[in-house]
Amino acid sequence: MEQSFYDAVYDVVRLIPKGRVTSYGAIAKSIGAGGSARMVGYAMNHAQEADPPVPAHRVVNSSGLLTGKFHFATPTLMQEMLEQEGIQVKEDKVQNFKKLFWDPLQEI
DNA sequence: GGATTGACGTGTC
DNA sequence: AGACACGCCAATC
């Protein structure tokens, strides 16, 4: 079966550099999905079972909020991972999000 | 195959 | 400033 919408999302997310984050909308645009930001998040749900694994913890919503943290093994895992990469997270929000934001369109 | 859903985004009240 | 509403679009049931 052909690569589906998911594979495109996975590929972009895997391109996110360590210590950086991006938003669902940005990914959606990069794959040509436009305003289908929801689809990106939907794909990320499967990302847990995707192989190779996708750094979904580097993907947050446009506000820098860790909206999908509850979809990880543990709700705190996402924050832990981000902090490991040097990203400051407070109240489930990525601090300095604007600076840490990585736009896939700039890479692709 | 129609209806529902969803890790979102932007705007409005 | 916080809460609510609508829009997008593909996958799943």
Side-chain angles (χ1 to χ4, degrees):
Chain A
M1 109 137 200
E2 282 55 330
Q3 319 293 42
S4 50
F5 187 89
Y6 300 124
D7 292 287
V9 176
Y10 299 155
D11 189 54
V12 174
V13 176
R14 282 190 284 241
L15 290 175
I16 303 174
K18 181 186 171 193
R20 291 295 185 104
V21 292
T22 191
S23 67
Y24 301 94
I27 296 171
K29 276 187 182 179
S30 65
I31 64 177
S36 318
R38 314 183 103 185
M39 305 294 79
V40 178
Y42 206 71
M44 301 312 297
N45 196 328
H46 286 244
Q48 292 176 89
E49 301 183 10
D51 181 56
V54 179
H57 58 273
R58 295 182 189 149
V59 185
V60 295
N61 71 354
S62 60
S63 306
L65 193 68
L66 281 57
T67 48
K69 67 172 190 168
F70 289 105
H71 289 262
F72 284 79
T74 61
T76 54
L77 181 63
M78 188 173 187
Q79 180 172 332
E80 295 275 317
M81 297 274 269
L82 292 172
E83 289 181 339
Q84 269 186 53
E85 302 190 352
I87 300 175
Q88 295 181 329
V89 180
K90 182 112 179 174
E91 304 281 306
D92 300 335
K93 293 168 300 197
V94 175
Q95 304 300 293
N96 232 352
F97 172 65
K98 207 172 181 180
K99 280 174 136 184
L100 297 173
F101 182 75
W102 176 83
D103 192 342
L105 294 174
Q106 289 186 3
E107 284 290 314
I108 305 173

